[in-house]
Amino acid sequence: MTVTDIGLVVMIVIALLFAVFDEFIVDYALRGKTRLRVPLRRQGRLDGLIFILLLLILLYKNITTGGTVVTSTLILILGLMVVYLAYIRRPRMLFKTEGFFYGNVFIRYSRIKNGVVE
């Protein structure tokens, strides 16, 4: 395995861990039962598209220069993870008994005073 393949594997693992954490662990296992889920608007669609286009350029370059099949496969898997994170996954705000999750950060209700988070 080359350094490029190791870097791709690390990025895939990080994206997969984030997806599992965001989808299952925050919702069901952290800070008690979820009382309310509020879907939020998606942001960063253009960023996701740019990243996918860069991955396609890397894939084309890898195929035309005779790169390994492993590298091409890892680039495709990373592209699928980006598609899921940027276009399929819905961002949401989760309200729990003691506080809420916003952007994967837990904010306690007791920290909110006069509209300012301390």
Side-chain angles (χ1 to χ4, degrees):
M1 244 187 174
T2 65
V3 175
T4 304
D5 293 342
I6 292 170
L8 287 170
V9 168
V10 167
M11 286 191 281
I12 291 167
V13 167
I14 289 172
L16 189 60
L17 287 175
F18 173 75
V20 169
F21 175 78
D22 186 55
E23 193 67 34
F24 299 110
I25 295 175
V26 171
D27 201 10
Y28 300 110
L30 286 181
R31 308 280 183 173
K33 184 178 178 184
T34 299
R35 301 289 181 191
L36 178 66
R37 287 180 195 90
V38 178
L40 303 173
R41 286 183 21 193
R42 289 187 178 120
Q43 293 181 357
R45 287 181 179 234
L46 183 61
D47 295 336
L49 180 64
I50 291 169
F51 193 71
I52 290 169
L53 289 175
L54 289 172
L55 287 176
L56 288 173
I57 292 170
L58 281 175
L59 183 64
Y60 174 77
K61 181 75 172 161
N62 188 49
I63 290 172
T64 57
T65 59
T68 64
V69 176
V70 173
T71 304
S72 297
T73 305
L74 290 173
I75 292 171
L76 286 173
I77 291 171
L78 184 60
L80 290 175
M81 288 303 300
V82 170
V83 167
Y84 170 75
L85 291 173
Y87 294 102
I88 297 173
R89 180 185 70 93
R90 297 256 343 158
R92 62 195 185 280
M93 181 182 255
L94 300 174
F95 290 93
K96 306 279 185 160
T97 305
E98 301 169 0
F100 60 92
F101 278 96
Y102 178 71
N104 288 328
V105 175
F106 186 73
I107 301 171
R108 292 187 178 278
Y109 296 130
S110 62
R111 291 184 56 207
I112 301 172
K113 295 180 182 176
N114 296 329
V116 178
V117 177
E118 294 179 347

